[in-house]
Amino acid sequence: MHRPEGASGAICTLSLSFNNEGPLGTFFRYICDNGTYIARYDELLNGKNESIDVSKVDVSMNGIELQDREFFAAIREKREPNASVAQMSTRHADIGSLGTAADCRAV
């Protein structure tokens, strides 16, 4: 088993899911301090496959519609859209810096 580990014993992990293959409805699994979540195209489930009500979170449950709304709102408001390529590039640089700081290496 290989895992990146820093000199202090801290384990460094990174999971990126933007290369997911499959038809609409394919799921993404997110694991965090608050539990496991499964995100599908049009629903959110907990790790026990129980539906989580997100109907009051936004005006739509359709992710593509929400992405389009954000994109056009950013144009109207003359601002950078949320989750832009520039923001993603900055986050990748931050993750690289954290890895270097933790002295991550394959064990």
Side-chain angles (χ1 to χ4, degrees):
M1 179 171 132
H2 295 287
R3 67 179 183 197
E5 189 174 317
S8 68
I11 297 173
C12 304
T13 63
L14 170 64
S15 175
L16 302 174
S17 58
F18 49 79
N19 285 329
N20 191 52
E21 294 180 0
L24 292 178
T26 302
F27 71 91
F28 300 88
R29 183 180 306 272
Y30 299 94
I31 301 170
C32 65
D33 292 342
N34 296 327
T36 300
Y37 297 92
I38 300 165
R40 298 188 191 279
Y41 176 74
D42 58 355
E43 67 180 333
L44 181 65
L45 307 166
N46 65 19
K48 297 176 183 169
N49 224 28
E50 299 166 335
S51 184
I52 297 172
D53 180 16
V54 292
S55 62
K56 295 177 177 62
V57 172
D58 216 324
V59 296
S60 172
M61 290 286 293
N62 182 316
I64 293 173
E65 177 187 352
L66 294 173
Q67 181 177 328
D68 289 349
R69 284 175 177 266
E70 166 58 19
F71 179 76
F72 290 110
I75 291 171
R76 275 192 309 277
E77 297 165 13
K78 296 180 171 57
R79 61 173 173 81
E80 181 179 6
N82 290 331
S84 69
V85 172
Q87 292 171 356
M88 186 255 338
S89 296
T90 302
R91 296 299 79 77
H92 279 264
D94 292 344
I95 291 167
S97 296
L98 287 170
T100 300
D103 188 29
C104 291
R105 57 184 162 69
V107 177

